[in-house]
Amino acid sequence: MSRILRRTRTRLVRAGLTTGVVGAALLVAPQAAFAAPSIGPAVVAPGGNASLMDPQVTFAASPAVQLVPASAATCPVKFSAISAAGPWNATNASRPNANMVGFTVPAVNGPTAGTNGAVRPYLACVYEGTNVGVSSLQGGTSFFLGTPVSATPSSGPGGGGGQVTVSAATPLFTGLSAVSAMFTTGACTTYPTANTPQNMVGTVSKLTAAGLSLTVPSGVVAAGASPAQYSICLYDASTSAAAGALLSVGQYTATLVSVTPSGGSYLNSVGITASSGSAFLSGVTAPAVLLVANGGCPGTWSTTAINGTPPVVVAGAGVRRLSNTRAAVTVPPLPISNGQPTPYQVCFYANNTTGALLGSSVYTAAIVATPSSVSPAAGPAAGGNTITVVGADFPTDPGRITATLGGAALTNIQSLSDKAFTALAPPHSVENNVALVVSTPAGTRALAGAYSYLNPIRVSPNTAPNTTPAVDVSVLGTGLMGTNFGTGGNAGRVFLVDGSYNGADAGAGVRANGPVAECLNVLVISDEELVCTLQLNRRLNAQGGDFFNPMTYTNLLTTDVSTTAGSRVIMSAAGKFNANDAGQPIVQAANANIPVNSIVTAVLSPTKAVISAPATATSGAAFTATIGNSTAVRTFPNALITTAGSVTVSLASGAFTRADVGRQFFATPGVPNGTTIVSMAPGGATATLSAPATLGTAGSLTNVSFSDTATTLTGSSLLATDVNAVIGANQLGIPAGTVLTAVTPGTSATLSAAATAVGAGVTLPVNRPVVASLYAAAPVVEGAYNLVVVSNGAPDAMANDPDYYQTDVTSSSTFTVASF
């Protein structure tokens, strides 16, 4: 089988036909037997010209066309020899473009029309050349050969009612006592005897042997974005043997009048506009409208009942002419059938007395869908999230619901039932309480304040312990490149907040709900991402401008505290607890109720806090307690050993404990104030700091002397501060790690271990430990917080900066401070 025949068979099969049934298909629907190819005009006269177009085929530069009787079913796969019974060669074959072939049907010695020029179906077959039995088929389709007819006018308003004269080029209707006609957007078939089509013409009047008059049926309408093309199928309706034969095919265009909206509530008056691509109101000063529920538009104005239902009249101020192509109509409340959407033909007339039909469209009266809620009721400004709209009377057919949020169209609307549908929220600028507007063919309803567009961020990682001084966090959001990030003034900031950030000044520079920490060193990667470093081992003060300093903090609760034996919860009758109490020591005189070394671990409210150890007694009356008292929690007299630039420290005596993690150094030589202990080694011999030491304790003892086995050394360079100095590694006879336990300045020192050699005027390496003071920890208290990006970090910025914005609190912005 040739490539072209295989392609033709494939296209026929896709259309639901096989080559075995094409012949029958051609007889009943010759214009549609092939899906893609087409021939114009609809009817070709003997000796007339035609053009065959097939967008799927590139025709040969010098094609040949043969005309084949439809009874052959398909085009022969090779160019055939001609005969009196067919095939016949068309003349003047040419290729105007790659997908089109033009040809002329022979006037004589070719295919013939029927009686008086009635149409007959034939095949037009295009070949690569004229070599009989060699040149291959390229494509083909069917066409009608006979007498063409024309309709006057060839177009008219949708809705029918117009009078049309049909004229034939020859006396086509000679000898026929009756002719019938049908309008169709499909192919003309043999006379439909089994069923009466919707657009069968009621009465066809024969004017002459070449002329007819008929009324356009009401079902001939234009629905959509453009005029509708109809074929007028003319049939022999006489009692002759040829009854029902197709005579010819004419063309008619139903012009478009569209109404917006195309439907509305049956209970209320609805304003609609009607427009057309043609000037259907030209010369009309007082148009009128009939709304017909059970039939087509009358050809002229008439209020007579149609199929038992009188039309609804709209005239006077109810119809306003806006231009030659546009009118406004007030549709009154309309009855509907069985509670279901009911279509009405909207028929426009030149006046409300004897006016002619100008055009028509369709309007549907129905119960209007009512939205009642949107879930979720908020989402990101970027959109794309799925929402569910709940309500009543939603249509369930696809494409019958449209909706907007804040004026932006919802997409991917999917019906769940007549009470709900889902959709994707569109992008929208940040705004609270935007309206949802739902439109259906029945009308439009709005739900005010239905949805809020938020400005959320997503953080990763979203948890870390409060012992760490540096956590690099990725922040995903929108519009980040438009913010000037910095560390002060009006710069943008990234804050860690307990709840939602409120930078309003609550007095004394304290923010209404300020940050507990700040994410610093902001690096903007793109408009949708930035990276910053979050410090959790020290929390910010109430002003949010500096770290909270436990050394200067005291909260005196005079005759205010009460306890319950065995409970870690303590109460403040006057509500004196505040966020700064967390992590600070709490002391009661005589420690009758609160154990020694207790810490406030959490502040639940101004009247309720949690301490680190259960109360030892139930208070009979409120007592006085002090939270934070500027007293070091631990001191290390001449014991801390540091190395400049290193975060590792050790102790000459004693050991670090787990409780030291998070505590802060103050007034310690070589360690910056506020430096915290991040972790400790097993056994507590060394600890890791949050910042490197700025000075080292390593030094030397110069010009000292000692004797073998002696436990003293002498030297004028000895100082009182050399007490607890530790001898380093040496080859001079003093064991490494030996400690100077006592010093007489400028004279001698006592060694913790005996010398193993004699030394005279030597220099020994030594570490001179310093006094270290550790204060209560002041990290960010463990718990759930929110990371917030603000465009202006200054107090009261939201009131003073018209361009201020901050990101919204959502589950994706939550950051948890926890040990694991």
Side-chain angles (χ1 to χ4, degrees):
M1 184 181 292
S2 73
R3 172 180 58 83
I4 293 175
L5 182 57
R6 284 196 301 270
R7 179 174 58 205
T8 302
R9 285 179 61 94
T10 299
R11 289 161 59 192
L12 292 172
V13 169
R14 288 175 180 169
L17 302 173
T18 64
T19 52
V21 297
V22 170
L26 288 169
L27 291 175
V28 288
Q31 292 290 62
F34 293 90
S38 62
I39 282 185
V43 176
V44 183
N49 297 321
S51 297
L52 185 152
M53 177 172 286
D54 190 339
Q56 300 185 41
V57 176
T58 299
F59 291 109
S62 299
V65 178
Q66 287 197 318
L67 310 176
V68 180
S71 59
T74 61
C75 290
V77 297
K78 299 294 183 181
F79 189 84
S80 305
I82 63 172
S83 72
W88 303 272
N89 287 340
T91 60
N92 303 320
S94 62
R95 190 187 75 165
N97 62 57
N99 306 117
M100 179 184 290
V101 172
F103 62 92
T104 302
V105 177
V108 295
N109 298 324
T112 59
T115 304
N116 295 327
V119 297
R120 286 178 176 169
Y122 290 92
L123 297 175
C125 308
V126 182
Y127 296 90
E128 296 173 324
T130 58
N131 292 330
V132 175
V134 176
S135 296
S136 296
L137 176 69
Q138 286 199 291
T141 190
S142 60
F143 71 100
F144 285 125
L145 179 69
T147 300
V149 295
S150 60
T152 304
S154 60
S155 65
Q163 294 297 308
V164 172
T165 299
V166 177
S167 302
T170 63
L172 177 63
F173 312 120
T174 299
L176 301 180
S177 60
V179 176
S180 61
M182 180 182 71
F183 284 70
T184 178
T185 56
C188 290
T189 65
T190 54
Y191 188 80
T193 57
N195 298 292
T196 301
Q198 177 183 356
N199 292 325
M200 204 74 187
V201 176
T203 301
V204 177
S205 300
K206 180 180 174 183
L207 303 178
T208 66
L212 306 170
S213 176
L214 53 84
T215 300
V216 179
S218 61
V220 177
V221 296
S226 59
Q229 304 296 323
Y230 283 82
S231 294
I232 307 175
C233 310
L234 301 177
Y235 299 100
D236 177 3
S238 69
T239 57
S240 67
L246 183 64
L247 298 174
S248 191
V249 179
Q251 302 295 312
Y252 183 83
T253 300
T255 55
L256 179 69
V257 175
S258 62
V259 295
T260 304
S262 60
S265 170
Y266 79 104
L267 291 172
N268 307 108
S269 294
V270 179
I272 65 174
T273 58
S275 58
S276 174
S278 61
F280 75 112
L281 296 176
S282 178
V284 176
T285 58
V289 167
L290 292 177
L291 299 171
V292 181
N294 196 19
C297 299
T300 57
W301 178 271
S302 173
T303 58
T304 302
I306 301 173
N307 296 323
T309 304
V312 177
V313 175
V314 184
V319 184
R320 305 179 189 181
R321 180 186 182 279
L322 304 178
S323 69
N324 286 345
T325 60
R326 195 163 179 261
V329 179
T330 301
V331 177
L334 297 170
I336 60 176
S337 177
N338 298 321
Q340 298 300 311
T342 302
Y344 282 78
Q345 197 81 14
V346 185
C347 312
F348 288 85
Y349 294 89
N351 55 60
N352 64 345
T353 54
T354 59
L357 179 66
L358 305 175
S360 71
S361 190
V362 177
Y363 174 87
T364 302
I367 300 173
V368 179
T370 304
S372 58
S373 66
V374 178
S375 179
N385 54 304
T386 299
I387 61 173
T388 300
V389 178
V390 176
D393 301 314
F394 295 128
T396 56
D397 296 335
R400 292 175 66 83
I401 300 175
T402 60
T404 61
L405 270 179
L410 272 63
T411 58
N412 195 32
I413 294 175
Q414 301 290 329
S415 173
L416 299 179
S417 69
D418 63 344
K419 294 178 175 58
F421 66 86
T422 62
L424 296 181
H428 191 282
S429 59
V430 175
E431 185 176 356
N432 289 324
N433 303 319
V434 301
L436 168 73
V437 178
V438 176
S439 298
T440 68
T444 298
R445 284 265 173 87
L447 178 63
Y451 191 82
S452 292
Y453 277 99
L454 306 181
N455 183 20
I457 57 174
R458 181 179 293 109
V459 301
S460 178
N462 59 3
T463 185
N466 58 9
T467 56
T468 178
V471 181
D472 289 327
V473 179
S474 169
V475 177
L476 300 178
T478 57
L480 299 177
M481 293 191 75
T483 300
N484 180 29
F485 289 97
T487 57
N490 297 329
R493 313 279 277 278
V494 183
F495 290 141
L496 189 70
V497 186
D498 185 2
S500 181
Y501 174 74
N502 185 346
D505 192 338
V510 176
R511 305 183 195 212
N513 191 37
V516 297
E518 183 170 2
C519 207
L520 299 168
N521 303 320
V522 175
L523 173 63
V524 178
I525 304 297
S526 68
D527 202 43
E528 289 78 36
E529 182 180 11
L530 63 80
V531 175
C532 58
T533 303
L534 191 61
Q535 184 173 355
L536 299 175
N537 64 330
R538 296 188 66 186
R539 65 175 181 264
L540 297 176
N541 59 18
Q543 290 74 27
D546 201 355
F547 290 115
F548 169 74
N549 186 353
M551 288 182 63
T552 61
Y553 179 74
T554 299
N555 184 10
L556 180 62
L557 292 78
T558 304
T559 317
D560 185 59
V561 181
S562 59
T563 59
T564 300
S567 174
R568 294 173 54 217
V569 177
I570 63 174
M571 308 298 293
S572 166
K576 293 183 177 181
F577 294 130
N578 65 74
N580 287 329
D581 294 337
Q584 299 307 298
I586 181 169
V587 177
Q588 177 195 4
N591 297 304
N593 297 73
I594 297 177
V596 177
N597 297 326
S598 291
I599 300 293
V600 178
T601 58
V603 175
L604 305 180
S605 71
T607 61
K608 189 181 296 185
V610 180
I611 58 176
S612 58
T616 57
T618 299
S619 56
F623 58 86
T624 299
T626 302
I627 300 176
N629 57 10
S630 302
T631 301
V633 175
R634 292 190 72 190
T635 57
F636 301 100
N638 298 323
L640 186 69
I641 297 173
T642 63
T643 301
S646 173
V647 294
T648 300
V649 296
S650 60
L651 292 174
S653 61
F656 295 106
T657 68
R658 178 69 183 84
D660 292 328
V661 175
R663 288 173 174 165
Q664 304 177 35
F665 285 95
F666 282 91
T668 301
V671 179
N673 286 347
T675 300
T676 62
I677 293 180
V678 175
S679 62
M680 50 164 281
T686 64
T688 302
L689 305 182
S690 62
T694 57
L695 297 175
T697 54
S700 61
L701 293 174
T702 60
N703 195 28
V704 294
S705 302
F706 46 85
S707 301
D708 187 14
T709 70
T711 57
T712 61
L713 58 75
T714 59
S716 59
S717 63
L718 290 167
L719 302 174
T721 54
D722 287 334
V723 174
N724 292 327
V726 181
I727 305 297
N730 65 89
Q731 303 294 323
L732 301 176
I734 303 295
T738 299
V739 178
L740 279 61
T741 59
V743 174
T744 301
T747 304
S748 63
T750 302
L751 302 175
S752 63
T756 59
V758 175
V762 299
T763 298
L764 290 171
V766 68
N767 251 303
R768 295 185 175 90
V770 295
V771 176
S773 297
L774 280 178
Y775 286 78
V780 174
V781 180
E782 290 188 352
Y785 299 87
N786 291 290
L787 213 62
V788 179
V789 177
V790 300
S791 61
N792 184 335
D796 273 340
M798 62 178 62
N800 300 325
D801 183 351
D803 297 322
Y804 176 85
Y805 79 83
Q806 70 183 56
T807 56
D808 289 284
V809 171
T810 67
S811 58
S812 61
S813 66
T814 300
F815 191 97
T816 302
V817 179
S819 55
F820 61 91

